[in-house]
């Protein structure tokens, strides 16, 4: 059951704080509470529950806010709950009426929170956050321009760096004319698994099936006769003799794989005999039931790989628990192959959006046209230029960009022009496009360093997708907060300049010319 809550939130003065005083209205969690579209979130969250049956579910603000805090600070589920318990600003962000020293919920609820927000829902919420943030930036820019009208002309030159024309499409932009820049790229978000090898996977599958056999044999006294008659200690010793070697010979490695595969075959045959004799798999826990199915599929794949000359197979398993993870060939210097979800993102005029998430490998060059169409759907026109990697610059994408009037980054086809000035201009434009494409690399870098994209800790496929989508939502929200703080600092500098202008025009001139660069203003 779900009961709708009033998302208007009490004012800061009405928020009860047991140690006296009130909350700071400029705190980041207070500003975030105004930025997040709580009403739209509840419209997607409430239909998952019955209106009048069952215990009341946790409100959407508590569920979504907890996921945001976890992703923003890079915490575990347990630490997230403790931080909420100790921080009054976080409790205000989550919609509490006052500070409470009790645990808001059990840490295991974080798993359910991740299941309740789909990848599509979070992408839509990300777009709403950016839309609301742009409206807040327009209001801040309007107040800035109003203050500039009252100040001297020299101050207006300092405000040029705070122009938002590169972030927001001007209202008087000609209809049908392309506007803005779209940077696209793809990467992999590694899952929290050990580096997989065929020998290691078969040994783990052998141990799993041995555990299942032991549980089935406990159901009746006569079932023990079906237990495979091999020494489990020797089976593990055979695995360790090869696994501990740094570079085992290929022949020895193949012999070890064949031996572990024989052990696994005997275990699976014993399980089939136990089932035929009356043992029930319904007594197993769901976790072990899924692992048994995975072991059976692993046996099929490894048998094909052992007796064939190929080293690859479709839907190859690399982990018995996270069955959705697939090897993604990246060809990077650090890791040629990564294991996790492959994502395609687009940076639209400074804001990062997740376009595609897949556990299987794919050619990211196919995403350029859908991303350009999505840009037109959101902004009413195609981008003026698309900055992309070489893999995106194929004949199909070139023809599309030529028809739509989009400049696609990369070298031009044909021979370079004979005119040295035109050739130099083309090289300069190519260099500028490559520099602009660095912003999408920066998004991946900050996402993996600050927002937990370097290692996805969630084991379930749905939870991992939610964590990845939430990372990009957090990045956009934090960028908006940085821009708002930038406008606040500039507004404060203008006020100080006006006060000094009225007091002493010579000092005000010195402040605007020399002291402006000393302000730590960064976007």
């Amino acid at each position: 059951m779900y009961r709708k809550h009033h998302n208007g939130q009490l004012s800061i003065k009405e928020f009860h704080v047991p140690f006296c005083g009130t909350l700071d209205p400029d705190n980041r969690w207070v500003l975030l509470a105004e930025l997040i579209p709580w009403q739209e979130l509840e419209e997607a969250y409430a239909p998952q529950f019955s209106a009048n049956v069952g215990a009341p579910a946790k409100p959407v603000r508590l569920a979504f806010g907890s996921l945001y805090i976890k992703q923003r600070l890079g915490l575990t589920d347990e630490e997230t709950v403790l931080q909420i318990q100790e921080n009054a600003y976080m409790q205000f962000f989550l919609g509490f009426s006052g500070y409470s020293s009790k645990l808001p919920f059990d840490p295991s609820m974080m798993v359910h929170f991740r299941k309740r927000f789909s990848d599509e829902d979070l992408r839509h919420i990300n777009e709403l956050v950016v839309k609301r943030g742009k409206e807040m930036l327009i209001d801040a820019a309007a107040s800035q321009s109003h203050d500039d009208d009252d100040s001297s002309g020299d101050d207006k030159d300092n405000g040029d760096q705070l122009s938002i024309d590169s972030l927001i499409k001007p209202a008087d932009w000609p209809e049908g004319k392309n506007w803005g820049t779209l940077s696209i790229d793809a990467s992999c978000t590694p899952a929290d698994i050990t580096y997989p090898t065929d020998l290691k996977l078969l040994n783990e599958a052998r141990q799993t099936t041995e555990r299942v056999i032991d549980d089935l044999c406990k159901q009746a006294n006569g079932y023990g006769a079906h237990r495979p008659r091999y020494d489990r200690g020797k089976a593990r010793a055979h695995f360790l003799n090869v696994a501990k070697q740094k570079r085992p010979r290929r022949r020895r490695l193949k012999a070890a794989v064949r031996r572990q595969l024989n052990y696994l075959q005997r275990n699976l045959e014993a399980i089939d005999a136990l089932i035929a004799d009356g043992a029930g798999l319904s007594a197993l826990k769901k976790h072990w039931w899924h692992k048994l199915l995975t072991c059976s599929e692993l046996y099929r794949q490894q048998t094909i790989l052992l007796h064939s000359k190929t080293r690859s197979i479709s839907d190859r398993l690399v982990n018995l628990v996270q069955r959705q993870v697939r090897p993604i060939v990246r060809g990077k210097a650090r890791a040629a192959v990564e294991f996790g979800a492959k994502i395609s993102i687009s940076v639209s005029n400074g804001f990062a959006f997740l376009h595609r998430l897949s556990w299987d490998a794919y050619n990211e060059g196919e995403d350029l046209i859908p991303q350009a169409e999505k840009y037109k759907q959101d902004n009413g026109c195609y981008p003026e230029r698309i900055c992309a990697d070489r893999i995106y610059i194929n004949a199909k994408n070139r023809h599309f960009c030529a028809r739509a009037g989009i400049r696609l980054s990369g070298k031009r086809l044909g021979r370079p022009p004979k005119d040295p000035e035109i050739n130099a201009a083309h090289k300069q434009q190519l260099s500028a496009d490559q520099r602009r494409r660095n912003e999408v690399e920066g998004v991946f870098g900050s996402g993996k360093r600050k927002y937990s994209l370097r290692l996805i800790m969630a084991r379930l496929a749905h939870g991992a997708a939610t964590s990845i989508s939430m990372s990009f939502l957090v990045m956009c929200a934090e960028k908006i907060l940085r821009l708002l703080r930038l406008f606040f600092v500039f507004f404060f500098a203008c006020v100080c300049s006006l006060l000094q202008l009225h007091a002493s025009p010579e000092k005000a001139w010195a402040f605007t010319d020399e002291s402006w660069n000393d302000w730590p203003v960064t976007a």
Side-chain angles (χ1 to χ4, degrees), residues 37-164:
W38 301 113
Q39 186 63 36
E40 290 80 358
L41 272 170
E42 190 167 44
E43 292 177 358
Y45 183 80
Q48 303 180 31
F49 307 94
S50 174
N52 50 16
V53 178
K58 300 294 183 183
V60 62
R61 189 156 181 169
L62 179 63
F64 179 84
S66 301
L67 294 177
Y68 188 99
I69 293 172
K70 169 185 168 56
Q71 206 67 32
R72 174 61 183 87
L73 303 181
L75 306 175
T76 61
D77 293 347
E78 294 79 5
E79 185 64 24
T80 300
V81 177
L82 293 177
Q83 288 291 334
I84 295 173
Q85 179 190 13
E86 300 166 358
N87 196 315
Y89 285 101
M90 290 184 182
Q91 293 186 12
F92 177 85
F93 173 65
L94 298 179
F96 285 39
S97 60
Y99 176 78
S100 174
S101 59
K102 298 181 179 179
L103 286 176
F105 52 85
D106 189 80
S108 62
M109 284 298 299
M110 295 290 291
V111 179
H112 300 283
F113 291 164
R114 284 189 286 268
K115 292 181 180 179
R116 295 172 185 174
F117 294 98
S118 65
D119 177 36
E120 292 76 11
D121 293 338
L122 292 179
R123 294 188 201 181
H124 178 62
I125 295 301
N126 190 12
E127 296 174 0
L128 294 178
V129 168
V130 171
K131 182 179 179 181
R132 179 172 294 188
K134 288 181 178 180
E135 294 175 355
M136 298 172 66
L137 291 174
I138 291 175
D139 295 340
S143 62
Q144 170 199 340
S145 61
H146 176 72
D147 294 331
D148 288 343
D149 293 340
D150 299 335
S151 60
S152 61
D154 299 322
D155 291 335
K156 294 181 181 180
D157 296 335
N158 296 329
D160 290 341
Q161 60 177 324
L162 299 180
S163 176
I164 60 174

Side-chain angles (χ1 to χ4, degrees), residues 80-368:
T80 300
V81 177
L82 293 177
Q83 288 291 334
I84 295 173
Q85 179 190 13
E86 300 166 358
N87 196 315
Y89 285 101
M90 290 184 182
Q91 293 186 12
F92 177 85
F93 173 65
L94 298 179
F96 285 39
S97 60
Y99 176 78
S100 174
S101 59
K102 298 181 179 179
L103 286 176
F105 52 85
D106 189 80
S108 62
M109 284 298 299
M110 295 290 291
V111 179
H112 300 283
F113 291 164
R114 284 189 286 268
K115 292 181 180 179
R116 295 172 185 174
F117 294 98
S118 65
D119 177 36
E120 292 76 11
D121 293 338
L122 292 179
R123 294 188 201 181
H124 178 62
I125 295 301
N126 190 12
E127 296 174 0
L128 294 178
V129 168
V130 171
K131 182 179 179 181
R132 179 172 294 188
K134 288 181 178 180
E135 294 175 355
M136 298 172 66
L137 291 174
I138 291 175
D139 295 340
S143 62
Q144 170 199 340
S145 61
H146 176 72
D147 294 331
D148 288 343
D149 293 340
D150 299 335
S151 60
S152 61
D154 299 322
D155 291 335
K156 294 181 181 180
D157 296 335
N158 296 329
D160 290 341
Q161 60 177 324
L162 299 180
S163 176
I164 60 174
D165 291 341
S166 60
L167 300 177
I168 303 173
K169 182 181 177 181
D172 56 348
W173 191 260
E175 185 178 358
K177 183 180 179 180
N178 294 348
W179 170 85
T181 300
L182 181 66
S183 302
I184 58 179
D185 202 357
S187 184
C188 181
T189 53
D192 183 29
I193 63 173
T194 182
Y195 189 86
T197 62
D198 295 341
L199 184 60
K200 189 185 299 183
L201 287 172
L202 288 172
N203 178 71
E204 184 181 356
R206 176 186 60 80
Q207 294 176 341
T208 299
T209 51
E210 289 173 357
R211 169 69 182 271
V212 172
I213 290 173
D214 292 340
D215 292 343
L216 295 179
C217 289
K218 293 178 182 178
Q219 296 182 9
N221 294 330
Y223 291 165
H226 299 288
R227 195 189 305 270
R229 300 186 182 278
Y230 67 84
D231 192 341
R232 296 181 179 180
K234 288 185 178 182
R236 176 171 173 76
H238 293 155
F239 160 72
L240 293 177
N241 287 338
V242 180
K244 287 184 176 181
Q245 298 180 11
K246 290 185 177 180
R247 294 182 179 178
R249 293 182 179 274
R250 185 178 178 183
R251 181 180 299 177
R252 188 170 184 180
L253 183 61
K254 192 172 183 179
V257 168
R258 181 182 288 106
R259 179 171 290 177
Q260 294 295 325
L261 200 59
N262 291 334
Y263 289 139
L264 180 58
Q265 179 184 6
R266 294 172 65 179
N267 289 344
L268 292 175
E269 291 175 354
I271 293 175
D272 292 337
L274 286 168
I275 296 174
D277 202 12
L281 293 178
S282 59
L284 297 177
K285 293 183 178 180
K286 187 177 181 180
H287 169 74
W288 291 104
W289 165 248
H290 285 302
K291 288 192 72 173
L292 178 59
L293 295 178
T294 307
C295 291
S296 178
E297 174 63 18
L298 178 67
Y299 172 76
R300 184 191 69 83
Q301 292 184 1
Q302 291 298 326
T303 302
I304 295 175
L305 293 174
L306 181 65
H307 299 290
S308 62
K309 296 183 180 181
T310 181
R311 294 188 180 182
S312 62
I313 191 171
S314 60
D315 297 330
R316 186 167 187 170
L317 295 172
V318 296
N319 192 267
L320 297 184
V321 177
Q322 301 187 43
R323 296 172 293 276
Q324 74 278 1
V325 179
R326 298 288 180 267
I328 306 295
V329 178
R330 299 288 297 157
K332 302 295 183 180
R334 177 177 172 270
V337 181
E338 294 180 323
F339 306 93
K342 187 173 183 179
I343 57 175
S344 292
I345 72 167
S346 59
V347 181
S348 174
N349 303 307
F351 294 99
F353 298 94
L354 178 62
H355 173 73
R356 183 178 180 183
L357 187 151
S358 174
W359 294 103
D360 297 318
Y362 62 88
N363 183 5
E364 57 263 32
E366 303 172 353
D367 291 339
L368 185 143

Side-chain angles (χ1 to χ4, degrees), residues 25-36 136 481 485:
D26 295 329
N27 183 271
R28 57 175 176 170
W29 301 110
V30 178
L31 297 177
L32 276 173
E34 302 177 0
L35 180 62
I36 304 298
M136 298 172 66
L481 290 183
R485 284 194 294 265

